[in-house]
Amino acid sequence: MANISLNKQQQEAVAYTEGPLLILAGAGAGKTKTITERIVTIVKKGTDPRNILAVTFTNKAAKEMRERIVSRLEEEHIIEQENPYHHTPIVKTFHSLGLMMLSEQAHTIGLPKHPTILDSADSLSIIKQALERLGIDPKIHDPSKIRTIISREKGDFVSLREYREKVATTQMDIVASVWGFYNEELFKQKAVDFDDLIVRAVHMLEDHKTIRDYYQQRFSYIHVDEYQDTNRAQYAFVKLLVNPATNNICVVGDTDQNIYSWRGANLRNLLNFEKDFSGAKTVLLEENYRSTGNILALANTAIKKNTVRQEKNLFTSKDEGSPIELLPAWDEESEAEWVAEKCKELTNAGVEGNSVAVLYRANFQSRVLEEAFIRANVPYNLLGTKFFERKEVKDVMSYLRASINRSSQNDLKRVFETPKKGIGKATIAKLFASEPIPKSAEERIKAVYSFLDKILATLETEPLSHVMQMIIVDSGMEKEMLEGSSEDRERLENARELVSLTVRYDNVTGEEILTQFLEETSLQSDQDNDTEEKGGVRLMTIHASKGLEFDHVFVVGLEQDLFPHKNIGNRKRTKEEEEEERRLFYVAVTRARQHLYLCHAELRTIFGQKQINAPSEFLDDVDKETALEHDTYYKQGGGTVVYI
């Protein structure tokens, strides 16, 4: 048996297995380790691992938790490492759990077993079609804003009917009309978007007592990570899954790390847990295993100014560590140059680039940083396009999805058009509208459907990676890209990478593997992208950094109205929303393990205008006696450093 070291509070959480449990876990307090050991303890008591559910937000977090749990169950000889059919706990993201349940109950709710899942680009395409059909100018009514409103309303568990009842403006009326068209298209294509995976699962549990009873019996122990980030629909989802006879639910959260209110995350879900589940036990995890004393002192000082929170105080057995460094720069270019030169100094001294992060409040700040890193010749990674949103990857995936769902118009359109087959847009439109198509196109369309049949048949006998290879070659995509530009050949490498990624699914054939594969590839989050394993300094927003940690962290742009960010618009913010900027600063600070650098510019160009900026109020929380304050740095273009 492995010697697993737990502190007193972690042991308390692990041992309390029956009834509702709230674990308030500060940043770096070992929450994943605690959940893992709690699940292992429940299995050791005799519970079938398949009756234990753990839910989190990102594929990355779910993968890490699953691997830790399986590793510990193997160490305890509860499951056999060499047995690929062993039973393990169910570890899912909210969206993948919804997809699993909708697929399992597809016959009851009128969905195909493998529904097409629209990504943000697909959803936007339908919304643009709706605006065009309604004769509305997309330049005046931004399609992406309409999509965001619809997504936010779904997250708040508001139906189209309920939204129509509260329409009070022309803009709301347009959103309602577009939403109606959007729903019709999804129904026609037998498709769902990300929000539907949760909303439809909740409606299914509400409307079908037999299904609700089945899942409440099946998942006898439920664990939810990052509970403070749940929106209204996810909150309803969790409550419907918990068996009221036992209330065996354990949630882990931190009021101080709620930074997603703009996505609908509701801090009250965590604050009201003890009210929702009477008799709940609360355990505080306050010992931090990540950061040095100086970093935690700043984090504690800053967050204590918030009022809507549950009191806790992070501490560590580590020493105070290096002083926090403060860098005032003349302007944003000076700030970027100093950061790039400092990162160069670190990497030249042997520091791994991927253990260094530069965090900023707004996406526009990345441009000047990228330019500085290029000039300084410092390798970097900007959190960018997700692998599964690349055109060539989506083209291959569309062949697979269209083979099992011929109603998916977005996928069929890609199949007809990639590579070019002599089937024009007008012909495709007629086909989708069930209108007569030209005789000349009939054979070409018939050949496409025949190839989709071949894909489906091959899936029954061949590994998934072979099927992917067949799609790339036999569709003609490979030939077209090989004969194209160097950029096309690079796209072919991405398509081939998809074949490499599917090798791990090759132990199973047939439709059984499709649910797992489509689930993992369709439900990507901000952090589930192709830059993860590459080297180089990480450049990212603070929101994207949540859940990550680095030896060296630079927080740039610490100026009033930038960070904390100015409230844009006239809507009055709630107390929780007003305090979110400070929670965001707390998250940024607690990403650092060893060294923290806080930077601000005295001048910054915003919307083409140079502005004089006051330093951020967050800098007042730094203990100036222990910090290292630099003089103001002025950009020298990589030459001799000059301070003024």
Side-chain angles (χ1 to χ4, degrees):
M1 176 177 168
N3 181 23
I4 302 299
S5 173
L6 298 169
N7 65 37
K8 184 181 175 183
Q9 288 70 33
Q10 290 171 335
Q11 289 172 4
E12 188 180 359
V14 166
Y16 193 85
T17 58
E18 308 304 311
L21 172 66
L22 169 60
I23 301 175
L24 290 176
K31 62 171 185 170
T32 304
K33 180 181 181 181
T34 305
I35 298 173
T36 298
E37 291 309 309
R38 188 175 191 273
I39 288 173
V40 171
T41 299
I42 293 169
V43 174
K44 286 169 74 174
K45 285 184 175 182
T47 301
D48 186 326
R50 292 171 295 181
N51 295 137
I52 301 171
L53 172 68
V55 189
T56 187
F57 277 83
T58 68
N59 288 338
K60 184 173 179 286
K63 181 174 180 283
E64 180 190 351
M65 190 180 293
R66 189 181 302 112
E67 287 173 350
R68 285 208 200 184
I69 292 168
V70 169
S71 175
R72 285 289 294 118
L73 291 175
E74 287 171 351
E75 287 174 0
E76 297 286 347
H77 304 295
I78 294 168
I79 60 176
E80 300 168 2
Q81 189 170 3
E82 64 276 6
N83 179 5
Y85 303 105
H86 57 222
H87 300 310
T88 58
I90 310 299
V91 184
K92 297 280 186 182
T93 64
F94 273 101
H95 292 96
S96 66
L97 176 64
L99 175 59
M100 182 192 83
M101 291 167 60
L102 293 176
S103 297
E104 289 177 348
Q105 308 298 330
H107 59 285
T108 306
I109 58 174
L111 273 176
K113 186 172 175 58
H114 305 293
T116 295
I117 303 164
L118 303 184
D119 63 18
S120 55
D122 297 329
S123 296
L124 199 60
S125 174
I126 294 175
I127 287 168
K128 286 175 180 174
Q129 288 175 38
L131 290 171
E132 189 179 321
R133 191 79 58 89
L134 293 164
I136 295 168
D137 188 348
K139 291 177 182 174
I140 298 174
H141 299 279
D142 184 357
S144 61
K145 284 184 181 175
I146 294 174
R147 186 195 66 197
T148 300
I149 292 168
I150 294 172
S151 177
R152 177 65 182 263
E153 293 295 328
K154 285 186 178 184
D156 285 342
F157 211 45
V158 174
S159 68
L160 173 57
R161 179 183 56 77
E162 290 167 331
Y163 185 79
R164 279 182 170 142
E165 287 173 358
K166 64 178 186 179
V167 165
T169 63
T170 303
Q171 169 73 2
M172 290 179 74
D173 191 42
I174 288 170
V175 170
S177 300
V178 170
W179 192 350
F181 178 91
Y182 182 73
N183 282 356
E184 288 171 14
E185 279 300 304
L186 261 60
F187 179 78
K188 193 189 302 179
Q189 297 187 32
K190 295 180 182 173
V192 291
D193 62 19
F194 276 23
D195 302 302
D196 289 332
L197 293 172
I198 295 170
V199 171
R200 293 196 65 163
V202 172
H203 285 312
M204 178 181 74
L205 293 172
E206 285 180 334
D207 299 341
H208 300 275
K209 184 179 184 302
T210 308
I211 295 175
R212 183 169 70 250
D213 290 345
Y214 166 71
Y215 285 111
Q216 287 180 354
Q217 292 296 323
R218 177 174 166 183
F219 300 132
S220 49
Y221 292 90
I222 295 174
H223 299 74
V224 185
D225 192 15
E226 306 284 11
Y227 196 64
Q228 78 281 348
D229 289 338
T230 52
N231 60 26
R232 190 176 168 192
Q234 290 158 339
Y235 170 75
F237 197 8
V238 171
K239 289 200 76 178
L240 286 164
L241 285 171
V242 176
N243 189 332
T246 59
N247 271 348
N248 284 335
I249 177 171
C250 167
V251 304
V252 186
D254 182 4
T255 50
D256 297 333
Q257 294 189 72
N258 172 263
I259 59 172
Y260 293 118
S261 67
W262 49 280
R263 284 185 185 170
N266 190 342
L267 185 57
R268 295 288 165 184
N269 294 346
L270 182 62
L271 294 170
N272 292 338
F273 181 81
E274 291 159 304
K275 190 168 128 186
D276 290 333
F277 298 96
S278 59
K281 180 181 178 65
T282 300
V283 176
L284 263 67
L285 302 185
E286 297 175 292
E287 183 170 1
N288 177 285
Y289 295 93
R290 177 188 300 161
S291 306
T292 61
N294 282 333
I295 293 168
L296 293 184
L298 172 57
N300 286 327
T301 301
I303 204 63
K304 282 183 191 305
K305 292 184 177 178
N306 275 3
T307 58
V308 185
R309 64 186 294 263
Q310 286 147 316
E311 183 61 35
K312 66 179 184 314
N313 193 66
L314 294 180
F315 66 92
T316 181
S317 59
K318 295 181 180 181
D319 58 24
E320 289 185 350
S322 301
I324 292 169
E325 297 192 36
L326 302 176
L327 188 278
W330 177 247
D331 57 14
E332 72 269 28
E333 291 186 351
S334 304
E335 177 189 61
E337 180 178 270
W338 187 88
V339 171
E341 291 296 329
K342 186 68 179 179
C343 288
K344 186 174 188 175
E345 180 186 313
L346 291 170
T347 53
N348 286 345
V351 173
E352 292 288 335
N354 58 12
S355 69
V356 182
V358 182
L359 310 181
Y360 38 85
R361 177 62 181 84
N363 275 305
F364 76 84
Q365 292 172 260
S366 67
R367 181 195 61 79
V368 69
L369 286 163
E370 281 195 87
E371 290 174 355
F373 273 75
I374 290 168
R375 281 195 304 270
N377 197 26
V378 178
Y380 70 91
N381 262 308
L382 183 69
L383 210 64
T385 305
K386 299 171 193 171
F387 179 75
F388 288 97
E389 287 187 1
R390 295 182 185 277
K391 180 188 181 301
E392 56 275 16
V393 173
K394 289 182 74 170
D395 288 340
V396 178
M397 294 291 291
S398 284
Y399 275 87
L400 187 65
R401 284 197 293 257
S403 72
I404 58 173
N405 181 7
R406 305 297 167 85
S407 301
S408 177
Q409 291 185 5
N410 281 327
D411 289 317
L412 281 172
K413 188 169 182 291
R414 281 182 175 273
V415 168
F416 287 136
E417 293 179 345
T418 310
K420 292 181 172 54
K421 300 178 178 67
I423 304 171
K425 291 187 189 311
T427 300
I428 296 171
K430 286 180 179 178
L431 182 68
F432 290 162
S434 300
E435 295 174 4
I437 57 173
K439 288 283 185 188
S440 58
E442 284 181 0
E443 284 303 313
R444 297 190 186 107
I445 289 171
K446 188 177 175 183
V448 170
Y449 282 117
S450 177
F451 184 54
L452 294 177
D453 290 337
K454 180 183 175 184
I455 293 170
L456 203 53
T458 310
L459 273 166
E460 294 298 325
T461 57
E462 294 288 323
L464 187 57
S465 63
H466 293 192
V467 176
M468 287 297 191
Q469 197 165 359
M470 180 190 80
I471 291 171
I472 294 167
V473 176
D474 293 0
S475 69
M477 272 192 275
E478 183 180 65
K479 183 174 183 291
E480 184 178 76
M481 286 189 272
L482 280 173
E483 293 173 353
S485 64
S486 58
E487 189 178 308
D488 287 324
R489 288 190 288 279
E490 188 176 322
R491 287 174 52 225
L492 177 58
E493 287 179 8
N494 288 329
R496 285 173 173 168
E497 177 65 15
L498 188 56
V499 178
S500 303
L501 287 172
T502 56
V503 169
R504 69 174 184 265
Y505 299 91
D506 282 355
N507 61 327
V508 185
T509 55
E511 285 200 15
E512 184 181 341
I513 197 60
L514 283 179
T515 300
Q516 184 186 350
F517 176 64
L518 292 173
E519 168 190 313
E520 291 186 8
T521 56
S522 298
L523 308 178
Q524 300 289 304
S525 75
D526 294 349
Q527 292 174 6
D528 301 318
N529 63 83
D530 63 330
T531 65
E532 183 182 342
E533 301 302 327
K534 295 177 183 176
V537 174
R538 306 299 167 89
L539 308 183
M540 64 182 81
T541 64
I542 300 165
H543 284 98
S545 75
K546 188 165 177 286
L548 305 177
E549 55 186 74
F550 307 90
D551 289 341
H552 299 261
V553 170
F554 296 80
V555 184
V556 299
L558 276 159
E559 298 131 35
Q560 283 298 114
D561 294 344
L562 178 55
F563 191 25
H565 207 265
K566 186 178 182 180
N567 182 27
I568 298 172
N570 298 319
R571 185 179 71 85
K572 185 173 173 56
R573 295 196 293 189
T574 64
K575 188 68 174 172
E576 293 100 300
E577 289 172 333
E578 285 177 359
E579 294 185 349
E580 185 156 321
E581 290 296 306
R582 189 166 288 276
R583 293 197 294 272
L584 197 56
F585 179 65
Y586 172 86
V587 166
V589 167
T590 54
R591 297 313 92 200
R593 287 190 285 248
Q594 299 171 13
H595 301 274
L596 178 65
Y597 310 83
L598 305 178
C599 312
H600 67 95
E602 296 184 6
L603 290 173
R604 188 174 298 272
T605 305
I606 297 179
F607 299 126
Q609 297 292 318
K610 281 276 187 191
Q611 296 179 8
I612 299 174
N613 304 297
S616 169
E617 65 191 65
F618 300 148
L619 293 172
D620 296 338
D621 299 323
V622 179
D623 183 351
K624 302 300 190 295
E625 290 185 11
T626 61
L628 171 61
E629 290 192 74
H630 294 283
D631 294 323
T632 303
Y633 178 81
Y634 184 80
K635 180 178 180 291
Q636 292 296 301
T640 306
V641 176
V642 174
Y643 297 98
I644 59 173

